[in-house]
Amino acid sequence: MNPVYWFQNIGFLNMIIKGLIIGVVVSAPMGPVGILCVQRTLNKDRWCGFATGLGAALSDIIYALLTGYGMSFIMDTIENDDVAFWIKAVGSILLFFFGFYTFRSNPIDRMKPVSHNKGTLFHNFISGFLVTLSNPLIIFLFIAMYGQLTFILPDSWILQIVGYLAFVLGAVGWWFLLTWLIDKVRNKFNVRGIWMINRIIGSVVMFVSVLILIHTIRDYFKFVQ
C-alpha cells in the first residue's frame, strides 16, 4: 500500500474547500458566542453582531494554528496509511458526536440579557474574542476536523497557508451571512430560530460525518488489497 495515499491529489482548490468547510463548521453552532452575536444583532445592530463574530473568528484561527502546529510534530506517524485511516475514522466518529450534541443542545437556556447600549465595535470585537478564547476544548474539534479531512500536509506550507486563509474566509463569511440574515428577518426572528439553527447544523454535520466515514472505510480497503 502506498504509504502516503491519504496525501495524494490534494491541490489548491481542495485545500480551499477544506478550509471553508472547517471555518463554517467551527463557527456555525449556536454556542455562547453565537447566541451573543445574534442577540447583539437584534438588540443593537448588524455591525455590532458582526464585530462579535469577527472576534470569535480571530480566536478560532489562533486555536486552528496551535492545533495545526501541534499535529505537525507527529506528521511522520500520520503519513503511515494505517495510522491515518484510524485518525480519519476516529475524527469522523468524534465529529458525528459533535453534530449530535449540537442537535440536542438547547442554546436558549444559555441566553442572557444583553444591554441595548451599542458600545464601540472594538468592544464588541474584544468580547467576542474573549468568549471564544475561554473555550480551549474547541481544539478537540479541530483535531477531529483536521484528521477527517487530511488538512495537515507534510512539507506543503504554501498549501497549508491557503487552507488557513480559506478557514478565515469561511468563518468570517459565516458571521457575515448570519448577521445579514438575522438583520433582514429581525421582525420575524425569535428564540426558536436559534434552536432551529442548531438542529439544522447538527443534522448536516452528522450526515456528512457518516458519509465521510463510509468513504474512508471504502477507500482504505480498496487500496489495502
Side-chain angles (χ1 to χ4, degrees):
M1 186 177 181
N2 189 337
V4 290
Y5 162 67
W6 300 106
F7 299 94
Q8 293 177 348
N9 302 319
I10 297 179
F12 284 98
L13 180 60
N14 194 286
M15 283 299 291
I16 290 172
I17 293 173
K18 289 179 179 181
L20 289 172
I21 291 173
I22 295 174
V24 172
V25 170
V26 169
S27 304
M30 288 290 103
V33 74
I35 296 170
L36 185 61
C37 177
V38 170
Q39 287 183 294
R40 284 179 173 174
T41 301
L42 293 173
N43 297 334
K44 298 180 180 181
D45 62 32
R46 175 190 174 188
W47 299 112
C48 288
F50 182 57
T52 303
L54 287 181
L58 176 60
S59 176
D60 285 338
I61 189 58
I62 290 174
Y63 279 126
L65 291 170
L66 288 174
T67 305
Y69 181 71
M71 291 184 70
S72 67
F73 285 103
I74 57 172
M75 285 312 304
D76 290 340
T77 302
I78 296 176
E79 286 186 276
N80 179 283
D81 270 331
D82 292 325
V83 175
F85 164 74
W86 285 109
I87 290 176
K88 290 169 71 70
V90 171
S92 299
I93 295 171
L94 291 176
L95 194 61
F96 177 86
F97 281 109
F98 170 75
F100 180 74
Y101 172 79
T102 301
F103 181 86
R104 290 292 306 274
S105 64
N106 185 2
I108 299 172
D109 295 338
R110 297 193 292 268
M111 293 185 70
K112 299 178 180 178
V114 175
S115 171
H116 289 268
N117 180 22
K118 285 186 178 182
T120 65
L121 293 180
F122 182 73
H123 169 266
N124 287 279
F125 173 86
I126 289 297
S127 59
F129 171 77
L130 293 176
V131 168
T132 307
L133 193 68
S134 66
N135 180 28
L137 293 179
I138 197 173
I139 288 177
F140 292 101
L141 177 57
F142 279 118
I143 293 173
M145 293 292 293
Y146 287 0
Q148 187 184 55
L149 297 179
T150 316
F151 188 73
I152 304 300
L153 301 178
D155 304 320
S156 299
W157 62 271
I158 295 179
L159 279 177
Q160 203 67 72
I161 291 174
V162 170
Y164 285 126
L165 290 175
F167 167 85
V168 174
L169 181 61
V172 172
W174 166 259
W175 294 117
F176 184 86
L177 177 62
L178 178 65
T179 53
W180 175 83
L181 181 62
I182 298 299
D183 186 58
K184 290 297 182 182
V185 300
R186 63 170 56 248
N187 294 328
K188 300 178 182 179
F189 192 85
N190 53 41
V191 292
R192 181 176 174 81
I194 300 177
W195 176 77
M196 285 300 300
I197 290 174
N198 260 18
R199 287 268 173 164
I200 294 171
I201 293 169
S203 299
V204 171
V205 170
M206 286 189 290
F207 178 72
V208 172
S209 65
V210 170
L211 286 183
I212 295 180
L213 178 60
I214 294 172
H215 178 74
T216 298
I217 295 173
R218 184 196 65 185
D219 282 356
Y220 178 77
F221 285 101
K222 176 182 177 181
F223 283 86
V224 79
Q225 296 175 353

